[in-house]
Structures are given as C-alpha cells and as structure tokens.
Amino acid sequence: MLKINNVFAKAGDKDILKGLSLNVKPGEVHAIMGPNGAGKSTLGNLLAGMPYVQAQSGSVEYMGKDLLALEPEERAAEGVFLAFQYPVEIPGVNNMYFLRTALNSQRKYRGEAPMDSAQFLRMVKQKVKDMNMRDDLLKRPVNVGFSGGEKKRNEVFQMGVLEPKLAILDETDSGLDIDALKIVADGVNQLRSAERSFIIITHYQRLLDYIEPDFVHVLADGKIVKSGDKNLALELEEQGYGWLNK
Amino acid sequence: MVGLINNWVSHAQLSVNEAEWLADKRATAIQQLKQLDDPGRKLESWRYAESSRLYQSIETVDSPQSLTDCIDEAASDVKIDECVIRLQDDGFVVSDECPDYLDVQAINSMSENEWLDLAFGQETVVNLANTALFNSGVFVCIKTNAKNPIKIVIEYDYKNNNQWQFIRNHLKVTADTSITLEERWLSGRINAVNVYQLEDQVSLLRHQKMSLSQTAQFVSFNYFEVANDVNIVTMNQHYGGGLQHHIHQFNLRAHGAKVKLGSINKSYANNNISDIVQVNHYSKNNQSDVTHRSIAKDQSQIYNNAKAVVAPGADQSVIEQDLKNILLSENAKIFSKPELEVYADEVVAAHGSTIGALDETALFYLQSRGIDVEQAREIMIESFEQEAVVC
C-alpha cells in the first residue's frame, strides 16, 4: 500500500528526515516511536502534504501512485488521513457541515455521487453511536471550545466518517486521560480491517496496550533505526531510547 | 470652500413649500459649508478613503453580490408587522401592509420640535452637506401601542447612479418598543443621514445591508440618541462599491444601555470602504461591544475604526473593541484602528486589532480532509465573518 523509499525532507529550512524508508501493507498497523525532534510528526505531515514540509529526495508510492505529486486534498480523496497532533479550530463552521463538505469533496474526486443531507445525517448518527461519541459534537463549531481530549476524539470521529485507507495518527494519545484513551483506541480498533492500514505516531507504550501494532519502529535523527514487534515498545518503555545509540 | 463643496452649494435649491425653520437650518448648513474645506487625507475620517471619487462620474453599474439575511424570523411563529419604505426618485412609497400605529411622513414635513440638530464639522463635512441638500427621506414615528413585533425595511432605489441623492431619515421610537430595522441599497449614489431617537427601554435590532456594485457609492452618517436601558444590536454588511463611507455614532446619555455592533467589510477589485464607529459614554453604567471583521482582496482598501469616548463621571462603563482583518492579496490594504479615550475612573475596557493572511495551518487542515484549496479559503472566510454576526 505504502512504500517510502530513502526519503530526505525539510521542515522549513531544517533537514528533518534523513533517509527514511518504510513499507506498509494493507491491514497492517505500524507504530512509530522515538525521542522528541526525531521527525515523527514531520513524517505524518509529509505524507498528508503539508506545504511546510518538502521532500528533497527519495520517493513515496501509495497505491501505485506518486503520493508526493498529489495535492493534500487529492491525497485525502485517495484515502490518506492525518489525525492532527494539534487539531485546528474553525469558528462558525459546525462539524456536520464541515464533515459533509469534506466527504462530498472526496466523493466528487472519486467520481461518486454526493451524499444528500438525509443520507449523511443517518450515516453520521450511526457513527456517533458506533464510536461511542456524544452527538452534540456535530452541532458545535469544529474544535471550538473543545477540551484537548474532545479534539482528539473528534479527529478519530472524522476518521470514522471519512473511512480512509491509510490513517496516520500523530500523537493522538497525548493529553488524553485513561477513559478518553480507551474511547479513541476503541474507535481505531473498530476501523481496523484487512484493507485499512494505520501509522500510529506515539511517545508512549500505553496506547499500544489498547491498539495492538503489527510492527513497532524507532525513528531517531530522521530515519528508522530499529524495527520489531510490539515487544519493542515494551523495551522502549523500560529502557528509554539511550540504549539504541550504544 | 473649494471644488466639491462649491459644486454642492451651487446646486442647493430651497423648496418654496418648505417650512421657514427648515429653510433656516439649510441656510445655516450652507454658511457652515462655505467655511470648510473639501474632504481629503488631512481629515481623520477621510485619511484612508478615496475622497476624490466623490467627484468622479459613474458610467457603468454592474450587479452587486447578494447578501444573506442576518435577521431570521422564519423560526418564529410570532406575527411580525412589516413595513417596507422604498425611497426613490419621485419621493417614497410605503407598502400597503404597513400598520397604522406607524406614522410615516416625508422628512421635510416633520415639525421643528422633532428635529435634531447634529453637530457636524470639518471631519463630517460630507455629512453636513446632507443637511444643506437633502431632498428626500422619511420621518417615522413608532407609538407604543404596537401589538406585534415591528420590522421596517428602508430601501434606496434611485435610477440615476451618477447624480448624488441626499436623503435624511429620522426614526423615533417611543418607550418600551421593540423594533427591527433593515436598510438596503438597491441602486443610486447616496448620501444618507439616519437619525435614530430611541426612548427608554427600546430594543432595536438593525441590519445595514450595503452590497454595492463595483462602482457605486454610498456615504452614510448614522446617529443614535440613546435613552435609559435601551438595547441596540446592529449588524453592518458593507460589500463592494467604488466608495463606501459609513459613520455610526452612538450617544449614550442615560443609564443601562447596551450597544452591540458587528461589522463585516468585504472589498475586492478597486473597492474602497471606510467603516467608522464612535460610541460616546456620557453617563454611568452603559456597555458597548464593537466587532469588526474586514477582508480585502486585489487592490481594494478598507479602513475600520472603533472609538469609545468615556466622559468624566461615566463610571461602570464596559467597553470592548475587537477588530480583525484578513488580507487576501499583496496589493490590498487595511487600516484598522481601535481607540479608547477614557476620562472616568471605574471603567472596564478592552481593545485589540490584528491584520494577517488566512491561517495556512487551518487551510491545510481543511485540505487534508479532501476540501480543495479554493473552497477551503471560502470556508475560512465564512468562519472569520461569523465572529461579527451579532444577530
């Protein structure tokens, strides 16, 4: 599904990714861990198309296409979703309108008929129920007045509605209490399928207690320095990142 | 006295049927005009406005952008008495369904004791010209025996888009009355003075809808005389136009009044908009809350100013001024000025102004959900405007 091959990338004028390679197959869950400043969020932003992050060399192939050649909205319509570390507030635009606009934009790109208000409302209400979200979320302006936990839950809810093929969660667990963490993890687990892949960027092993990854990678100084199974996350939790340099 | 004023004064024609006191008012205004200079960049209120356009002839007029309704009564089951007053070349027309407790008469037939003298000077020289030259407008008096909520719509509809129309309207609302007022531009080159005389406990919901065609011009002075416990919510939408210059002045002379004003100014191409709001807190315990949101594109220019003056002894005044602005192109200009002049001791006041571009991170957020960049910009602008929607 996703082949990242020896990518070098800058965030602004700073070299961040320095020869990163990663393969993700359909249905796999990859956890990316690593110390602060290693380039974890830059990787997520690069894949989603943030203009501030620019690839210098290397390639990213997604579903047979050159991902880096696509605009952010094209990537989204092709099935790439980034759950933001710091979700943006959009006053005056309610979640319902925002999500319907997003969904129908993606459908238009894919040549599908737009979803009318009634269909959309039915679908969204079912999602709210399935994902154990509060339905007042829909009427409120996007992320305005939301607590940190509500913003992260809203990101996962958006992911549920948009049903991406590749979801990248950028520190979605940070700032969450245990109950919120479980809700977010449940939301992700419900979306797991043989066709859908996840890249979960996190600092802590605790999220991985609830979302079991197929692979754990350690990103340090712009490239993946170690990969393993879920036990690698437990080792990192116990020993930190210092031992990787020895 | 120079070119523009000279030209205006030369066109002043006193009506033979006009009351002597009114003719005297005009004559005094003409004398005052003759002592003043044409508007220009030396004046604070015209510093950022293209006053030279006041002289220009307007040859073509295109269609303005349509505006959405701010005042929504669709959700309400309560019957509303609506009265549409259309100001046009041959006077004015009042809609048939206008309730009889609403007294609408031509402005120049009002009595002398109802007239309010407005203190115009060099800064407001263009508005002073209105006193000398007004030839149309209405005096509307609303009595207290209204059974239903009242909505008055004033429309400006003049066929000649090149010739200045000088219009004075006076709205007198007696105590304990709630009223909704909508002011709409349809066509014409307008210089308007609107006087709002609001007695105790009046509630006024007002919407100034000025979506002008590219070259159209509208100059207005909106004067609010405010008594005890009056509640004013006013929403201004100023879009387009070769020249829009609006002054809103609120005089809070009694106690317990609240003024909430939201302005959205949107300019593109070569538009020029000035939106000036002054709230005078003359007495204790009054509140004013002014929000401006301005968006300028292409080579257009906007000036927005919120000024509050708190007189000595006007303690317990509460003032908020929130001015935010977005520039959508390199050549667009916005001048934004919050101002506080406080001469009282116990006042709560806050003001702020920002000018910037659209937030790139927010744009990317929308794009990352599949929304194309143009639609994402529109959503961002709509979101930005919403903060100034007060009714």
mmCIF file of all heavy atoms in Angstrom, chain B residues 73-83 96-101 146-151 178 180:
data_model
loop_
_atom_site.group_PDB
_atom_site.id
_atom_site.type_symbol
_atom_site.label_atom_id
_atom_site.label_comp_id
_atom_site.label_asym_id
_atom_site.label_seq_id
_atom_site.Cartn_x
_atom_site.Cartn_y
_atom_site.Cartn_z
ATOM 1 N N GLU B 73 -36.439 35.624 11.041
ATOM 2 C CA GLU B 73 -37.676 35.477 11.802
ATOM 3 C C GLU B 73 -38.453 34.240 11.333
ATOM 4 O O GLU B 73 -39.535 33.970 11.776
ATOM 5 C CB GLU B 73 -38.548 36.723 11.770
ATOM 6 C CG GLU B 73 -39.063 37.239 10.465
ATOM 7 C CD GLU B 73 -38.131 38.194 9.752
ATOM 8 O OE1 GLU B 73 -37.368 38.932 10.386
ATOM 9 O OE2 GLU B 73 -38.194 38.180 8.536
ATOM 10 N N ALA B 74 -37.835 33.459 10.420
ATOM 11 C CA ALA B 74 -38.527 32.287 9.890
ATOM 12 C C ALA B 74 -38.852 31.279 10.991
ATOM 13 O O ALA B 74 -39.862 30.597 10.944
ATOM 14 C CB ALA B 74 -37.670 31.627 8.823
ATOM 15 N N ALA B 75 -37.970 31.214 11.980
ATOM 16 C CA ALA B 75 -38.148 30.216 13.038
ATOM 17 C C ALA B 75 -39.253 30.618 14.014
ATOM 18 O O ALA B 75 -39.732 29.814 14.784
ATOM 19 C CB ALA B 75 -36.836 30.042 13.781
ATOM 20 N N SER B 76 -39.645 31.856 13.958
ATOM 21 C CA SER B 76 -40.607 32.330 14.944
ATOM 22 C C SER B 76 -42.042 32.202 14.430
ATOM 23 O O SER B 76 -42.328 32.411 13.260
ATOM 24 C CB SER B 76 -40.292 33.803 15.245
ATOM 25 O OG SER B 76 -41.322 34.351 15.997
ATOM 26 N N ASP B 77 -42.944 31.839 15.330
ATOM 27 C CA ASP B 77 -44.360 31.753 14.967
ATOM 28 C C ASP B 77 -45.067 33.081 15.196
ATOM 29 O O ASP B 77 -46.221 33.260 14.823
ATOM 30 C CB ASP B 77 -45.057 30.680 15.817
ATOM 31 C CG ASP B 77 -44.522 29.306 15.474
ATOM 32 O OD1 ASP B 77 -44.099 29.136 14.309
ATOM 33 O OD2 ASP B 77 -44.513 28.436 16.355
ATOM 34 N N VAL B 78 -44.376 34.009 15.821
ATOM 35 C CA VAL B 78 -44.991 35.287 16.172
ATOM 36 C C VAL B 78 -45.217 36.106 14.906
ATOM 37 O O VAL B 78 -44.340 36.197 14.041
ATOM 38 C CB VAL B 78 -44.071 36.060 17.154
ATOM 39 C CG1 VAL B 78 -44.674 37.416 17.501
ATOM 40 C CG2 VAL B 78 -43.804 35.233 18.388
ATOM 41 N N LYS B 79 -46.405 36.693 14.793
ATOM 42 C CA LYS B 79 -46.690 37.532 13.616
ATOM 43 C C LYS B 79 -45.865 38.819 13.689
ATOM 44 O O LYS B 79 -45.765 39.434 14.749
ATOM 45 C CB LYS B 79 -48.178 37.858 13.586
ATOM 46 C CG LYS B 79 -48.585 38.634 12.342
ATOM 47 C CD LYS B 79 -50.040 39.027 12.401
ATOM 48 C CE LYS B 79 -50.470 39.830 11.186
ATOM 49 N NZ LYS B 79 -49.661 40.995 10.918
ATOM 50 N N ILE B 80 -45.286 39.180 12.568
ATOM 51 C CA ILE B 80 -44.481 40.400 12.530
ATOM 52 C C ILE B 80 -45.154 41.395 11.602
ATOM 53 O O ILE B 80 -45.553 41.054 10.482
ATOM 54 C CB ILE B 80 -43.050 40.085 12.045
ATOM 55 C CG1 ILE B 80 -42.341 39.240 13.107
ATOM 56 C CG2 ILE B 80 -42.261 41.354 11.752
ATOM 57 C CD1 ILE B 80 -41.059 38.643 12.661
ATOM 58 N N ASP B 81 -45.307 42.611 12.087
ATOM 59 C CA ASP B 81 -45.850 43.677 11.241
ATOM 60 C C ASP B 81 -44.695 44.273 10.444
ATOM 61 O O ASP B 81 -43.788 44.870 11.031
ATOM 62 C CB ASP B 81 -46.500 44.765 12.106
ATOM 63 C CG ASP B 81 -47.780 44.262 12.760
ATOM 64 O OD1 ASP B 81 -48.396 43.321 12.220
ATOM 65 O OD2 ASP B 81 -48.147 44.791 13.824
ATOM 66 N N GLU B 82 -44.734 44.077 9.140
ATOM 67 C CA GLU B 82 -43.614 44.559 8.320
ATOM 68 C C GLU B 82 -44.047 45.752 7.476
ATOM 69 O O GLU B 82 -45.151 45.778 6.940
ATOM 70 C CB GLU B 82 -43.110 43.445 7.407
ATOM 71 C CG GLU B 82 -41.886 43.868 6.607
ATOM 72 C CD GLU B 82 -41.243 42.721 5.855
ATOM 73 O OE1 GLU B 82 -40.662 41.842 6.506
ATOM 74 O OE2 GLU B 82 -41.308 42.737 4.614
ATOM 75 N N CYS B 83 -43.172 46.699 7.386
ATOM 76 C CA CYS B 83 -43.448 47.893 6.590
ATOM 77 C C CYS B 83 -42.231 48.191 5.724
ATOM 78 O O CYS B 83 -41.127 48.355 6.250
ATOM 79 C CB CYS B 83 -43.738 49.059 7.534
ATOM 80 S SG CYS B 83 -44.098 50.581 6.667
ATOM 81 N N ASP B 96 -48.382 48.470 1.412
ATOM 82 C CA ASP B 96 -49.792 48.501 1.817
ATOM 83 C C ASP B 96 -50.007 47.968 3.231
ATOM 84 O O ASP B 96 -50.867 48.429 3.953
ATOM 85 C CB ASP B 96 -50.640 47.661 0.849
ATOM 86 C CG ASP B 96 -50.673 48.308 -0.521
ATOM 87 O OD1 ASP B 96 -50.378 49.518 -0.589
ATOM 88 O OD2 ASP B 96 -50.962 47.609 -1.504
ATOM 89 N N GLU B 97 -49.205 46.936 3.588
ATOM 90 C CA GLU B 97 -49.468 46.258 4.860
ATOM 91 C C GLU B 97 -48.881 47.002 6.068
ATOM 92 O O GLU B 97 -48.890 46.492 7.187
ATOM 93 C CB GLU B 97 -48.919 44.814 4.828
ATOM 94 C CG GLU B 97 -47.417 44.702 4.722
ATOM 95 C CD GLU B 97 -46.906 44.690 3.290
ATOM 96 O OE1 GLU B 97 -47.593 45.224 2.391
ATOM 97 O OE2 GLU B 97 -45.806 44.178 3.076
ATOM 98 N N CYS B 98 -48.408 48.199 5.817
ATOM 99 C CA CYS B 98 -47.801 48.972 6.896
ATOM 100 C C CYS B 98 -48.832 49.247 8.004
ATOM 101 O O CYS B 98 -49.911 49.774 7.727
ATOM 102 C CB CYS B 98 -47.288 50.290 6.318
ATOM 103 S SG CYS B 98 -46.045 51.029 7.322
ATOM 104 N N PRO B 99 -48.575 48.861 9.264
ATOM 105 C CA PRO B 99 -49.585 49.026 10.322
ATOM 106 C C PRO B 99 -49.867 50.498 10.629
ATOM 107 O O PRO B 99 -49.005 51.359 10.442
ATOM 108 C CB PRO B 99 -48.942 48.334 11.527
ATOM 109 C CG PRO B 99 -47.491 48.316 11.242
ATOM 110 C CD PRO B 99 -47.319 48.281 9.771
ATOM 111 N N ASP B 100 -51.086 50.759 11.125
ATOM 112 C CA ASP B 100 -51.483 52.161 11.296
ATOM 113 C C ASP B 100 -50.846 52.834 12.519
ATOM 114 O O ASP B 100 -50.911 54.048 12.654
ATOM 115 C CB ASP B 100 -53.016 52.292 11.323
ATOM 116 C CG ASP B 100 -53.621 51.387 12.366
ATOM 117 O OD1 ASP B 100 -52.846 50.806 13.149
ATOM 118 O OD2 ASP B 100 -54.861 51.251 12.390
ATOM 119 N N TYR B 101 -50.251 52.049 13.421
ATOM 120 C CA TYR B 101 -49.575 52.684 14.549
ATOM 121 C C TYR B 101 -48.196 53.215 14.171
ATOM 122 O O TYR B 101 -47.482 53.784 14.991
ATOM 123 C CB TYR B 101 -49.461 51.719 15.748
ATOM 124 C CG TYR B 101 -48.792 50.407 15.440
ATOM 125 C CD1 TYR B 101 -47.413 50.312 15.358
ATOM 126 C CD2 TYR B 101 -49.544 49.264 15.235
ATOM 127 C CE1 TYR B 101 -46.810 49.120 15.067
ATOM 128 C CE2 TYR B 101 -48.953 48.055 14.940
ATOM 129 C CZ TYR B 101 -47.582 47.986 14.856
ATOM 130 O OH TYR B 101 -46.976 46.800 14.563
ATOM 131 N N ALA B 146 -48.108 49.176 19.703
ATOM 132 C CA ALA B 146 -47.896 48.101 18.744
ATOM 133 C C ALA B 146 -48.222 46.759 19.389
ATOM 134 O O ALA B 146 -47.789 46.486 20.496
ATOM 135 C CB ALA B 146 -46.446 48.119 18.284
ATOM 136 N N LYS B 147 -49.009 45.933 18.676
ATOM 137 C CA LYS B 147 -49.382 44.627 19.240
ATOM 138 C C LYS B 147 -48.338 43.568 18.911
ATOM 139 O O LYS B 147 -48.098 42.658 19.677
ATOM 140 C CB LYS B 147 -50.735 44.204 18.668
ATOM 141 C CG LYS B 147 -51.899 45.007 19.205
ATOM 142 C CD LYS B 147 -53.193 44.587 18.524
ATOM 143 C CE LYS B 147 -54.303 45.554 18.914
ATOM 144 N NZ LYS B 147 -55.430 45.513 18.005
ATOM 145 N N ASN B 148 -47.770 43.676 17.734
ATOM 146 C CA ASN B 148 -46.826 42.653 17.267
ATOM 147 C C ASN B 148 -45.440 43.264 17.097
ATOM 148 O O ASN B 148 -45.310 44.485 17.006
ATOM 149 C CB ASN B 148 -47.289 42.108 15.915
ATOM 150 C CG ASN B 148 -48.671 41.508 16.001
ATOM 151 O OD1 ASN B 148 -48.980 40.778 16.936
ATOM 152 N ND2 ASN B 148 -49.509 41.852 15.037
ATOM 153 N N PRO B 149 -44.415 42.418 17.035
ATOM 154 C CA PRO B 149 -43.089 42.948 16.705
ATOM 155 C C PRO B 149 -43.121 43.663 15.351
ATOM 156 O O PRO B 149 -43.852 43.252 14.455
ATOM 157 C CB PRO B 149 -42.212 41.703 16.630
ATOM 158 C CG PRO B 149 -42.949 40.652 17.378
ATOM 159 C CD PRO B 149 -44.394 40.980 17.244
ATOM 160 N N ILE B 150 -42.333 44.706 15.235
ATOM 161 C CA ILE B 150 -42.365 45.524 14.018
ATOM 162 C C ILE B 150 -41.053 45.358 13.259
ATOM 163 O O ILE B 150 -39.978 45.379 13.859
ATOM 164 C CB ILE B 150 -42.477 47.027 14.362
ATOM 165 C CG1 ILE B 150 -43.559 47.258 15.406
ATOM 166 C CG2 ILE B 150 -42.732 47.857 13.127
ATOM 167 C CD1 ILE B 150 -43.401 48.572 16.116
ATOM 168 N N LYS B 151 -41.175 45.240 11.951
ATOM 169 C CA LYS B 151 -39.975 45.263 11.113
ATOM 170 C C LYS B 151 -40.155 46.329 10.038
ATOM 171 O O LYS B 151 -41.135 46.299 9.284
ATOM 172 C CB LYS B 151 -39.742 43.911 10.459
ATOM 173 C CG LYS B 151 -38.494 43.901 9.579
ATOM 174 C CD LYS B 151 -38.241 42.533 8.967
ATOM 175 C CE LYS B 151 -37.029 42.597 8.054
ATOM 176 N NZ LYS B 151 -36.810 41.321 7.364
ATOM 177 N N SER B 178 -40.143 47.333 20.836
ATOM 178 C CA SER B 178 -39.116 46.533 20.158
ATOM 179 C C SER B 178 -39.287 46.702 18.665
ATOM 180 O O SER B 178 -40.405 46.606 18.151
ATOM 181 C CB SER B 178 -39.271 45.048 20.488
ATOM 182 O OG SER B 178 -38.959 44.827 21.823
ATOM 183 N N THR B 180 -37.386 46.019 14.638
ATOM 184 C CA THR B 180 -36.333 45.510 13.759
ATOM 185 C C THR B 180 -36.282 46.422 12.544
ATOM 186 O O THR B 180 -37.327 46.775 11.998
ATOM 187 C CB THR B 180 -36.656 44.067 13.311
ATOM 188 O OG1 THR B 180 -36.666 43.229 14.453
ATOM 189 C CG2 THR B 180 -35.635 43.558 12.319
#
